């Protein structure tokens, strides 16, 4: 499939309406993960950003709303989602250079460039570790086809000296990420994301720097929801997370 039918799409607000995103009504849909990823990037105006596997563009477009003036490039394997990313960028008046390609076979125009920041939200599950979805796009987005080590290797090659990689992943993939960074990226920092206080982290955001030499740093967990359990209708995000999700604030302490 090269394009979604408009009747099969929804239009959703992100960052309190700063970004509007067309998404498939049935298929892979962005939640808060790409918003948190975008909020982790210590970017400033006029820097360059590459997103590996940008999907419909949620993360890179949220980053554009938080930090205006960036030079944005997205790589997306699936034609229908690449088309959505282009449409979403245009709808939000964001200049996005969208390349339809496999990240392990990047075109020459990308292999000749370096970027200040690279962001990625790779598939969370190892090959064969989850039930395949009936929707092919969702299956590709969730189930690993390209090894996680390849994502990090490609990022390391495309980063400019002292450039940063930011990646969000399941917590149980953290050992794989750290091993993949060895001899390629340094100054590794990890921010655990916990649904509630006292719960184990389900997700982590990893930041690593090309040429970085600082010691490994494990941050205190960032708590997403207030209270010990869900006790009311509607959202229960902490004030810090509301600021990130609704008001384009950066992640606290990271």
């Amino acid at each position: 499939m090269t394009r979604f039918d408009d009747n099969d799409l929804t239009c959703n607000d992100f960052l309190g309406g700063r970004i509007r995103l067309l998404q498939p009504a049935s298929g892979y849909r962005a939640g808060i993960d790409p918003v948190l990823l975008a909020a982790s990037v210590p970017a400033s105006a006029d820097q360059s950003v590459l997103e590996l596997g940008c999907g419909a563009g949620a993360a890179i477009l949220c980053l554009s709303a938080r930090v205006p003036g960036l030079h944005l490039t997205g790589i997306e394997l699936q034609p229908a989602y690449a088309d959505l990313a282009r449409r979403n960028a245009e709808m939000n008046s964001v200049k996005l250079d969208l390349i339809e390609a496999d990240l392990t076979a990047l075109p020459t125009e990308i292999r000749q460039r370096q970027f200040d920041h690279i962001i990625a939200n790779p598939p969370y599950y190892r090959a064969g570790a989850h039930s395949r979805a009936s929707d092919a796009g969702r299956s590709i987005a969730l189930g690993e086809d390209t090894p996680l080590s390849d994502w990090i290797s490609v990022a390391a090659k495309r980063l400019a000296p002292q450039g940063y990689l930011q990646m969000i992943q399941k917590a149980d993939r953290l050992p794989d990420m750290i091993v993949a960074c060895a001899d390629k990226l340094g100054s590794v920092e990890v921010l655990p994301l916990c649904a509630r206080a006292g719960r184990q982290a389900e997700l982590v955001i990893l930041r690593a720097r090309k040429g970085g030499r600082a010691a490994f740093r494990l941050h205190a967990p960032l708590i997403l929801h207030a209270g010990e359990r869900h006790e009311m209708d509607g959202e229960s995000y902490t004030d810090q997370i509301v600021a990130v999700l609704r008001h384009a604030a950066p992640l606290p302490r990271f």
Side-chain angles (χ1 to χ4, degrees), residues 152 155-156 159 163 165 180-188 208-212:
I152 292 177
L159 278 173
L165 166 67
C181 285
D183 301 323
K184 297 182 182 70
L185 300 170
S187 300
V188 176
R209 195 171 196 182
K210 189 167 185 175

Side-chain angles (χ1 to χ4, degrees), residues 106-115 157-159:
L106 295 175
T108 301
E109 63 184 287
I110 297 298
R111 288 189 281 112
Q112 291 179 340
R113 296 174 59 188
Q114 292 186 311
F115 298 85
K157 291 176 182 177
R158 299 278 60 81
L159 278 173

Side-chain angles (χ1 to χ4, degrees), residues 111-128:
R111 288 189 281 112
Q112 291 179 340
R113 296 174 59 188
Q114 292 186 311
F115 298 85
D116 298 305
H117 298 276
I118 293 180
I119 61 175
N121 181 8
Y124 283 162
Y125 300 97
R126 294 180 179 87

